[in-house]
Amino acid sequence: MTVMTETVARPFEHPAAVRSQVTVPLRFPDGFTATAEIMTFHGLADGKEHLLLALGEWEQTLLDQGPEGKAPLVRLHSECLTGDVFGSERCDCGPQLREAVEEIAAVGGFLLYLRQEGRGIGLYSKLDAYALQDTGLDTYEANVALGRGEDERDYSAAAQMLGALGAGRIRLLTNNPDKVGQLTALGVVVSEQVPTGVHLSAANHRYLAAKRSHTAHTIELPAEILPAVPAEIIPSHDELLARVDALVPRLRERAAETEEIRRIPEATMAELKAAGVFQMLAPKAVGGFGMGLETYVEVVRRLAQGCVSTAWAVGHLVEHVWMLARWPQEAQDEVFANGPAPLAAATGAPPGKAEEVPGGFAISGRWSFASGVMHSEWALLAVQHGDVRVQCLVPVSDLELLDVWHTAGLRGTGSNDLRAENLFVPAHRVLEWNRLAAADNPGSRIHPDPNIHIPMATFLNMVAPAAALGAAEHALEVFQDLMTVRKVKQTTQARQADSPLAQARFSQAYGHVATARLHWQEAVSVVAASYDRRPVAFTDEERAQYRLSLGLSGVASAEAVRLILTGSGGSVHRLTHPLQRIQRDVNVLLNHASLTMDPILEQAGRGLLDLGFSVPAEQF
């Protein structure tokens, strides 16, 4: 969206003039006909060959445009070769053009045909954006992934064209609030915003949904589950990992920026969406890939080899898409209406309070550690209703976002707080935690995907160990490169790699990383093996095994990072060096409940000795 500033010149300060006028009869494919006076102009701000089509009794509307009269009806229509000429159904441009001519001809006014293909990025780039949309990005995210703006259109020339005809007060035919805002800022009085029709097709549902949700277009769409992604475009496990591996160099380049802005950069989010990362666990029926635990945790691990903050936030956002697919149909219709990967933060620290009211619940609370909330449309909030723990699904826009995430590590996760006071949540967006967490959850009655038919605990606790392992693997790689060029003071070797003690240190670090990897793989295999049972469930021994293996993996990863940092010299503690960032990130990871060793060792010992856990099993 173009943002107008107070320094923008108004159209009448730099006026344009009509260059030519010619009468053109129009005929559309459905047989509708009209006659237009097509005008060209001198002096347009952007120098492009925009056209104005004067339709109906347009001259009379100019005379009547005072406060008591009816101003001309105007449509700003951006050129769309694929839609206007070839009838593409990926957008709604062709039907909107046809509708606008008829509407304006009936009452008098102007259609401005603006040479702004692809919201200003051009025809070729628009087609490139289509290809990215086929991978899961929406129309705005695809533009950003190409390095372009979400919407590069500037309507200064349109205001000049209207000014050249003396149309200072208009009725604007549009669903786009940005057009109203820009024209108003440019000095054109928009006395009324007249909505266009909704021209929905199977091919443009996501396009229209993105316009509604992202740029507040006034579009009413039916709530429905989107068609499943065809099997031929669902990547394999290896194909998705290859896409993630290709992102790692750019994650490293942006790691410092991620820390600085305390969230994932928009360019990174666009690339992750283009790779299909966020839809990997979503059911196929809503356009997801329906993948399993092994792919999910491997993606988190590899992302952490680039940026630990990104891996942490993305890992949880992906997990929460999977959690949303466990809800009843009505809630799923709402959250999946705009695509296969609705992004949601989830937090239960501490639980809020709920009071039942007519039609739902009123909730209050302050929730911490909402990782990924800066990129989320929804929030999953743990709430206590009497003795029952429930989860509430709430639009982030309904909550107060508290910017409190100022930390030593994982700074880029944006894990801020959320607050609500007597917020109404309709009953269909409230679900008992026990139902949500069970293998037999409401979503399992809807989706056949195996990953929905398992207890929620099987995916929980996995992000922190995977992120720690990926971070340690990156640190080992950096250390190896550093040793081949670094000269250590008070030694005789020309480079650190030639020192026997340094070689021993590297071997120790390498061994700790290998140990972390083996423990991590053991935990994943224990969880994956449970999928073959029905119902899927852990014995106490299995739960102890996998939690202990995850914890020991984290310990080994952290020890590898410690060895590397203490053998890398003082320069690696500059804030520009990746090793200091990795150390800070891993230190914070170790304080997450999934890697806090004291309770893990206690409960794992009880489970392995068949003594029973001293806390509820689902909490371990």
Side-chain angles (χ1 to χ4, degrees), residues 272-346:
L272 290 163
K273 291 176 181 179
V277 168
F278 293 108
Q279 62 201 83
M280 75 171 95
L281 297 182
K284 294 177 182 177
V286 300
F289 299 158
M291 291 176 163
L293 176 73
E294 296 92 334
T295 304
Y296 166 60
V297 295
E298 190 65 52
V299 165
V300 175
R301 170 191 167 192
R302 297 190 187 203
L303 289 173
Q305 293 170 5
C307 174
V308 185
S309 285
T310 297
W312 176 267
V314 171
H316 285 100
L317 289 171
V318 170
E319 180 182 86
H320 301 158
V321 174
W322 170 76
M323 290 172 66
L324 291 171
R326 303 169 73 89
W327 280 69
Q329 186 72 64
E330 186 175 0
Q332 291 199 39
D333 286 348
E334 190 170 0
V335 297
F336 286 106
N338 294 337
L343 299 186

Side-chain angles (χ1 to χ4, degrees), residues 1-5 118-121 139-141 143-144 148-155 175-183 210-218:
M1 179 182 297
T2 304
V3 178
M4 305 304 298
T5 70
R119 295 197 304 278
I121 68 173
T139 180
Y140 300 101
E141 294 162 347
N143 279 22
V144 173
R148 306 300 298 264
E150 292 182 345
D151 189 339
E152 297 186 1
R153 290 176 293 184
D154 184 311
Y155 299 112
N175 294 324
N176 184 356
D178 186 45
K179 292 180 178 179
V180 178
Q182 284 203 45
L183 287 181
K211 293 208 296 186
R212 179 187 63 184
S213 63
H214 194 75
T215 48
H217 281 56
T218 53

Side-chain angles (χ1 to χ4, degrees), residues 95-289:
Q96 280 192 331
L97 178 63
R98 161 67 178 81
E99 171 195 24
V101 171
E102 182 172 5
E103 293 288 328
I104 297 170
V107 298
F110 310 106
L111 184 140
L112 280 61
Y113 197 82
L114 306 174
R115 312 304 295 273
Q116 299 172 329
E117 183 79 53
R119 295 197 304 278
I121 68 173
L123 178 60
Y124 279 16
S125 292
K126 181 180 82 170
L127 294 175
D128 293 339
Y130 279 177
L132 290 174
Q133 291 168 39
D134 289 340
T135 70
L137 294 189
D138 69 33
T139 180
Y140 300 101
E141 294 162 347
N143 279 22
V144 173
L146 291 172
R148 306 300 298 264
E150 292 182 345
D151 189 339
E152 297 186 1
R153 290 176 293 184
D154 184 311
Y155 299 112
S156 297
Q160 287 180 297
M161 295 160 73
L162 293 171
L165 271 70
R169 179 173 175 270
I170 66 170
R171 300 162 60 228
L172 191 62
L173 181 61
T174 186
N175 294 324
N176 184 356
D178 186 45
K179 292 180 178 179
V180 178
Q182 284 203 45
L183 287 181
T184 300
L186 289 162
V188 178
V189 176
V190 179
S191 63
E192 181 184 359
Q193 180 179 341
V194 181
T196 67
V198 178
H199 306 283
L200 179 66
S201 72
N204 71 15
H205 187 291
R206 286 180 180 161
Y207 167 76
L208 296 179
K211 293 208 296 186
R212 179 187 63 184
S213 63
H214 194 75
T215 48
H217 281 56
T218 53
I219 300 173
E220 293 294 331
L221 295 176
E224 61 183 36
I225 295 294
L226 299 175
V229 175
E232 61 269 17
I233 68 171
I234 295 178
S236 67
H237 170 86
D238 291 339
E239 288 170 342
L240 185 60
L241 295 184
R243 295 180 188 179
V244 171
D245 286 341
L247 297 179
V248 169
R250 293 194 288 282
L251 297 183
R252 293 177 179 179
E253 291 171 2
R254 298 180 189 135
E257 178 190 0
T258 304
E259 276 209 321
E260 182 180 352
I261 65 176
R262 294 182 298 118
R263 59 183 291 171
I264 302 172
E266 289 305 314
T268 297
M269 289 296 294
E271 290 168 353
L272 290 163
K273 291 176 181 179
V277 168
F278 293 108
Q279 62 201 83
M280 75 171 95
L281 297 182
K284 294 177 182 177
V286 300
F289 299 158

Side-chain angles (χ1 to χ4, degrees), residues 413-425:
T413 64
S415 303
N416 288 302
D417 289 8
L418 296 169
R419 183 161 58 196
E421 187 67 35
N422 291 321
L423 175 67
F424 175 74
V425 182

Side-chain angles (χ1 to χ4, degrees), residues 30-78:
D30 63 357
F32 174 76
T33 61
T35 300
E37 294 292 323
I38 298 184
M39 301 180 195
T40 65
F41 296 84
H42 289 299
L44 295 179
D46 57 12
K48 294 182 179 179
E49 294 184 334
H50 304 297
L51 302 176
L52 182 147
L53 280 68
L55 297 159
E57 300 295 328
W58 60 274
E59 292 169 309
Q60 186 61 44
T61 65
L62 291 176
L63 297 175
D64 294 342
Q65 65 179 313
E68 302 302 323
K70 199 160 190 180
L73 183 62
V74 173
R75 167 75 182 166
L76 309 187
H77 186 89
S78 297

